[in-house]
Amino acid sequence: MDRLVKADVKEVEIVFQRGKKCTTTFRLTNLMHTMPVAVSLTTQNPAFFSFNKPFSIIPPLSSSSYTLLLFQLSNQPPLTTPPDVITVKTTMLPLGKAHHDDLRRLFSKPGPHIFKDATLPISFVGPHVVEHLISSYTQVAEIDLFLNKAISGCTGNLLTGLLKSAVVSGKANLVRTLIDHGGDVNDKDSKGRSLISLAVEAGNFDVVNVLISSGCEIDNSVDHLLHYAAAINRVDLMEILFRAYKSVDINAVDFCGKTPIHIAASYGYTEVIRFCLSVGRNPEVLDINRCTPLHLAAQEGHLDAVECLLEASSYAKYALNKQGKTAFALAVENGHSNLYDLLHLGDALNRAARIDNVNGIKSCLAEGANVNGKDQNGWTPLHWAAFKGRIESVKVLLNHGAQVNLLDDNGYTPLGCAVEAGHVQVALLLIAHGTKANMKSLKIKGVVALNSDCFKDHPSLVQPLCHENEQA
């Protein structure tokens, strides 16, 4: 005979509840027609489990119920790998009677009279188990080992509630399993937002993918998905949302009138700013306070973001917010002196160089203007002064560290500008300060300019320029 008793289950399930003693019941049936059977029940972890009848006698062809008790109060189920099991041992009892101590002694002595009739795995089920898996487990294999059993004790509403926590946790496989077992992928939070909003806010790319593939729907009036992605500097999320939802709008505003590019600017996220610009976002858009993204970047002192926004719009630096302030004014208010040159002083310095305002140049430089700063065309103050023939301005700029060989966006140096405009004295001064003549500016512009009347009286200038131009 293979066994003496038969269990009514192949696995024993306990509905786990935090902080409570948890029990479950199963039955064993004596398969012998004429002989009583003695039964011994044990677990691998007696520190956690006990039985109402660890030893018992079952009459012939009769059944008996047994209660497994998880007697230790705990906030988490005692999950083990592999799971704990109940071992059912039996022996025939011809006399049909025995005291508890006799049975203990009987089963303590191994031998052919002892049968190992069953090994019943113990599973923990219910929402508290799933919550524990969501909050405490990180290994996919461990989660999968316990999850399918745990959710068997959960209704659809419970699964939907657990789904929200799983989405935030970032465990994509757990999210998929809960959805497959009845969790509502289109459930909303207290603000009416979709689950995908929660996933994007938490930055969980894999979970976002699962929700999209599971048919999660969005409401653009409350699901500001691109704003959430911008706030955590996640261009990858913005890209996948654009592909998945045709209704997603880069120009959408939140409750403060801010677009995703406003959000990115306030945090200084240049990657997101560039992405927004690449898909058609207007860098001069105003929020509810009439602030451009540049206002917000300047207010927070984000140098790279300011540079990025200025590349996209030269007008934005002059825009006034609701309080009548420019981005420069906000930078000054908040002490971000590293932005002064970009937002105002650079313009003022270039203007002073153009009109030969020497005192203005000195004042700008004293306030922190970059003597080698470039405008939207790559011209430095020295380019402007040279082109206009402002020799006094050129001298001041040179004395304050202006670099004579910087190239503009078309590859021209200040010398090239002076040559083209026919300013001999400026050209001589730049050469005296070490400028190089073998530049693109002389190849294209200088050959013509050097033949003009204004240079014919200065052979000392023409000869070296022509010589170096030929070498170039």
Side-chain angles (χ1 to χ4, degrees):
M1 178 176 290
D2 293 332
R3 56 184 177 176
L4 304 180
V5 300
K6 179 182 179 181
D8 66 340
V9 293
K10 294 183 178 180
E11 190 167 350
V12 176
E13 294 183 348
I14 297 180
V15 178
F16 176 79
Q17 293 180 290
R18 285 190 294 266
K20 294 184 179 181
K21 290 184 177 181
C22 307
T23 63
T24 189
T25 301
F26 60 98
R27 295 178 65 80
L28 297 176
T29 300
N30 184 352
L31 300 177
M32 302 292 290
H33 288 73
T34 59
M35 187 77 67
V37 172
V39 176
S40 166
L41 301 177
T42 58
T43 64
Q44 294 171 312
N45 291 300
F48 291 107
F49 300 103
S50 66
F51 297 93
N52 65 330
K53 295 183 293 185
F55 300 101
S56 65
I57 300 171
I58 306 177
L61 298 179
S62 297
S63 298
S64 181
S65 294
Y66 298 88
T67 298
L68 174 67
L69 170 67
L70 177 64
F71 60 86
Q72 280 199 356
L73 301 182
S74 175
N75 287 325
Q76 59 187 44
L79 302 177
T80 58
T81 306
D84 204 342
V85 296
I86 298 172
T87 301
V88 180
K89 293 181 180 179
T90 59
T91 187
M92 289 182 284
L93 198 65
L95 298 178
K97 293 182 180 180
H99 293 293
H100 185 277
D101 290 340
D102 295 331
L103 293 176
R104 183 189 298 277
R105 284 192 294 272
L106 181 63
F107 284 104
S108 67
K109 298 177 182 179
H113 65 288
I114 301 296
F115 295 83
K116 187 176 180 180
D117 273 14
T119 300
L120 305 176
I122 301 172
S123 296
F124 293 93
V125 302
H128 291 182
V129 182
V130 180
E131 288 175 357
H132 176 64
L133 293 174
I134 292 172
S135 63
S136 302
Y137 278 70
T138 57
Q139 297 299 318
V140 173
E142 289 183 333
I143 293 175
D144 290 344
L145 176 66
F146 302 115
L147 181 61
N148 286 328
K149 295 296 181 183
I151 61 179
S152 65
C154 301
T155 64
N157 287 337
L158 286 173
L159 290 176
T160 298
L162 292 167
L163 183 56
K164 292 178 183 177
S165 298
V167 165
V168 174
S169 77
K171 298 181 174 70
N173 63 311
L174 201 155
V175 170
R176 189 181 296 280
T177 301
L178 291 173
I179 293 172
D180 290 344
H181 283 78
D184 184 4
V185 72
N186 284 310
D187 188 44
K188 308 294 182 183
D189 70 1
S190 59
K191 299 177 182 178
R193 302 182 306 167
S194 68
L195 293 178
I196 206 163
S197 280
L198 305 182
V200 174
E201 275 191 318
N204 297 324
F205 185 88
D206 291 339
V207 173
V208 170
N209 258 328
V210 169
L211 294 174
I212 290 172
S213 64
S214 300
C216 185
E217 299 173 355
I218 63 172
D219 179 352
N220 285 314
S221 66
V222 290
D223 289 312
H224 299 130
L225 303 181
L226 298 182
H227 292 75
Y228 306 147
I232 57 174
N233 200 22
R234 292 293 296 275
V235 172
D236 58 336
L237 288 174
M238 300 180 82
E239 290 174 338
I240 192 175
L241 292 169
F242 258 100
R243 291 195 298 268
Y245 297 106
K246 302 302 181 185
S247 60
V248 166
D249 183 9
I250 193 67
N251 296 311
V253 297
D254 63 13
F255 302 115
C256 297
K258 289 180 169 58
T259 64
I261 197 170
H262 280 103
I263 303 298
S266 65
Y267 287 105
Y269 296 148
T270 55
E271 275 191 67
V272 176
I273 292 172
R274 294 188 190 282
F275 174 80
C276 292
L277 294 171
S278 72
V279 295
R281 178 64 267 170
N282 178 6
E284 296 165 3
V285 64
L286 304 178
D287 67 9
I288 199 171
N289 293 313
R290 297 191 60 78
C291 286
T292 65
L294 184 64
H295 279 101
L296 303 184
Q299 181 172 285
E300 300 301 324
H302 299 307
L303 176 61
D304 290 343
V306 167
E307 289 179 336
C308 181
L309 291 165
L310 287 175
E311 288 174 8
S313 170
S314 57
Y315 165 76
K317 70 168 68 176
Y318 308 111
L320 302 177
N321 66 8
K322 187 177 285 187
Q323 285 74 42
K325 296 177 180 179
T326 63
F328 172 72
L330 294 178
V332 171
E333 278 185 7
N334 292 277
H336 302 308
S337 57
N338 59 324
L339 303 181
Y340 295 174
D341 180 71
L342 282 172
L343 295 173
H344 175 68
L345 292 179
D347 288 347
L349 179 57
N350 282 334
R351 183 176 183 278
R354 288 198 303 271
I355 65 175
D356 208 26
N357 181 355
V358 172
N359 289 331
I361 291 173
K362 293 179 178 178
S363 176
C364 289
L365 294 174
E367 291 180 41
N370 181 4
V371 71
N372 293 305
K374 294 184 176 183
D375 63 12
Q376 65 271 23
N377 297 312
W379 276 35
T380 66
L382 189 58
H383 279 88
W384 279 111
F387 182 72
K388 292 291 186 178
R390 312 303 191 188
I391 193 163
E392 293 303 319
S393 294
V394 170
K395 290 178 180 178
V396 172
L397 292 169
L398 291 173
N399 289 337
H400 283 80
Q403 296 179 26
V404 294
N405 290 315
L406 288 181
L407 303 178
D408 69 8
D409 293 348
N410 291 314
Y412 303 126
T413 63
L415 176 61
C417 295
V419 169
E420 181 184 27
H423 299 304
V424 177
Q425 297 304 319
V426 172
L428 289 169
L429 180 59
L430 292 171
I431 290 174
H433 278 77
T435 191
K436 297 177 181 178
N438 54 339
M439 296 290 177
K440 178 181 178 182
S441 56
L442 294 183
K443 289 182 184 179
I444 297 176
K445 298 180 179 181
V447 175
V448 175
L450 289 171
N451 293 321
S452 65
D453 291 338
C454 64
F455 284 96
K456 289 179 179 179
D457 296 330
H458 299 277
S460 60
L461 174 62
V462 175
Q463 185 175 358
L465 287 180
C466 287
H467 176 67
E468 294 195 38
N469 190 52
E470 289 171 359
Q471 288 183 335

